[in-house]
Amino acid sequence: MTNQSHGGFALPLVLIVLALLTVLSMGLSRLVSMDMDFLRERISVWEYELEISNATESIVFVLLTGEYGYQSVGNGKVELPLNGRPAEINGQRVRIQSWSGLYSMALLGVNRLEGVLGELTNSQRARQISAELADWVDEDDRRRFRGRERADYANEGLRQRPRNAPIRGVDELLELPSVSVRLMNGSDGKPGLADLILAGGEDNFDVGTAPDMLIGPVLGLPEPITRELIAARSDGQWSKVLFLIDQNHWSFNHHPPFYKGQKYRMDFQSDRGVTARVEIELKPYATRRLYHLIEWQVPYREYE
């Protein structure tokens, strides 16, 4: 009787242990599978980073050794547009943009921003964003028309407060109540604020590589002259472009109107739909590395 009772108790215990081992085995297999998926994903990202790094090095070589034109640079073998037009290098599709062709907050401040915003949204919202940003960066607590100061944010139950100093990064624009994610990222074929504005930027404006929508607002040109200038630029009539602008305009900051500067943005697009954004500063006279990485967003993710 005793042996039989022990046997009857041992069998269910063995079955329970086997069941637990099976469950543990399934869990371990799932963990291993998840780890393998994660590892494969990381390998894919590392491979893409290596591809972007190699392409960046090739672009830097052309930038350092090439001959500069009004809108591009070339070294006899490769010609790279510097105005955001698509190009290909090392099998990578890329759009290169000279920083001098973008809206530099360090150079232009907020005074010309309303005109740029007017190209992206309606005039009322453009005025409001411009006023909010002006109140955000100025040192006083006097509220502008349509703007917001510290007390206004508090009264509206908003947690952010004006910096009362220059913005540190373009993403800080999202702190302004009237700036939406859609406006930052761009939509309907239009670029976003993240594509046009630099928190710092270069100390000059380049008429050759600037997007069309920046020409009129930055140079303070009337709309008919702006259209004529853009058409002349598109046709390569550079003497006419020079005729249409004031070559001593303060935005050029004593540089030639087509001066490119040393800083560039590269937007890469892969067949897998992955994008990357790399920003560099050339250091042609450095004793060690000939360029400096300002931004390395690989992969690049839009604002959410």
Side-chain angles (χ1 to χ4, degrees):
M1 288 294 292
T2 303
N3 290 339
Q4 289 179 353
S5 64
H6 283 308
F9 174 76
L11 182 59
L13 184 60
V14 170
L15 293 175
I16 291 172
V17 171
L18 289 174
L20 288 172
L21 289 174
T22 302
V23 170
L24 289 172
S25 175
M26 292 173 61
L28 184 60
S29 297
R30 178 175 292 184
L31 286 174
V32 170
S33 177
M34 291 172 61
D35 286 344
M36 289 302 296
D37 289 341
F38 176 76
L39 183 58
R40 280 192 289 268
E41 180 183 350
R42 289 306 306 163
I43 290 174
S44 177
V45 171
W46 291 333
E47 289 175 345
Y48 185 55
E49 287 199 17
L50 181 59
E51 292 171 5
I52 298 303
S53 179
N54 290 338
T56 298
E57 295 277 353
S58 297
I59 292 169
V60 167
F61 178 76
V62 178
L63 291 172
L64 289 172
T65 63
E67 182 177 346
Y68 285 78
Y70 294 102
Q71 295 183 311
S72 63
V73 60
N75 63 358
K77 297 179 180 179
V78 180
E79 187 80 18
L80 295 175
L82 301 177
N83 60 347
R85 286 192 290 113
E88 185 170 319
I89 191 164
N90 287 15
Q92 296 290 328
R93 294 194 302 276
V94 63
R95 294 175 182 268
I96 306 171
Q97 174 65 61
S98 164
W99 269 29
S100 295
L102 297 176
Y103 190 98
S104 164
M105 288 294 295
L107 174 70
L108 303 170
V110 299
N111 298 325
R112 303 281 172 162
L113 190 59
E114 184 179 329
V116 176
L117 291 165
E119 299 283 341
L120 302 174
T121 185
N122 60 68
S123 58
Q124 181 177 342
R125 190 179 179 196
R127 285 193 295 271
Q128 185 158 344
I129 294 172
S130 181
E132 288 176 359
L133 181 58
D135 280 341
W136 186 272
V137 300
D138 67 20
E139 297 181 1
D140 61 58
D141 292 322
R142 295 189 299 274
R143 178 180 178 272
R144 300 165 191 254
F145 178 64
R146 299 184 187 276
R148 282 180 171 88
E149 285 290 0
R150 180 179 297 271
D152 302 293
Y153 285 94
N155 290 337
E156 294 176 37
L158 300 173
R159 299 179 62 183
Q160 67 267 40
R161 297 293 183 269
R163 178 175 299 285
N164 293 334
I167 60 173
R168 294 183 298 184
V170 70
D171 54 342
E172 195 173 324
L173 295 175
L174 280 171
E175 298 283 355
L176 304 177
S178 299
V179 174
S180 66
V181 171
R182 182 184 177 90
L183 189 59
M184 281 291 289
N185 291 328
S187 60
D188 302 326
K190 288 186 177 181
L193 297 179
D195 302 311
L196 297 172
I197 296 178
L198 296 166
E202 286 280 29
D203 66 349
N204 71 296
F205 185 67
D206 172 25
V207 178
T209 62
D212 291 349
M213 63 179 57
L214 293 185
I215 295 293
V218 171
L219 296 180
L221 298 174
E223 189 173 335
I225 299 297
T226 300
R227 287 199 302 267
E228 190 176 358
L229 190 155
I230 291 172
R233 191 174 69 160
S234 179
D235 294 337
Q237 300 178 29
W238 299 108
S239 58
K240 184 175 182 180
V241 170
L242 289 174
F243 174 77
L244 292 170
I245 64 174
D246 174 8
Q247 298 183 45
N248 295 312
H249 193 274
W250 62 269
S251 65
F252 301 138
N253 198 19
H254 305 294
H255 290 289
F258 304 111
Y259 180 68
K260 299 292 176 286
Q262 302 293 338
K263 298 175 184 176
Y264 296 87
R265 169 185 290 166
M266 309 167 198
D267 286 322
F268 295 90
Q269 177 73 50
S270 76
D271 293 330
R272 295 171 288 182
V274 182
T275 58
R277 173 165 287 186
V278 179
E279 295 181 317
I280 63 163
E281 179 180 7
L282 299 177
K283 299 283 189 179
Y285 303 109
T287 55
R288 298 182 65 185
R289 195 174 181 121
L290 296 177
Y291 73 97
H292 164 68
L293 275 177
I294 300 172
E295 195 80 41
W296 178 264
Q297 298 184 65
V298 185
Y300 174 72
R301 293 181 175 84
E302 292 188 331
Y303 295 98
E304 297 179 352

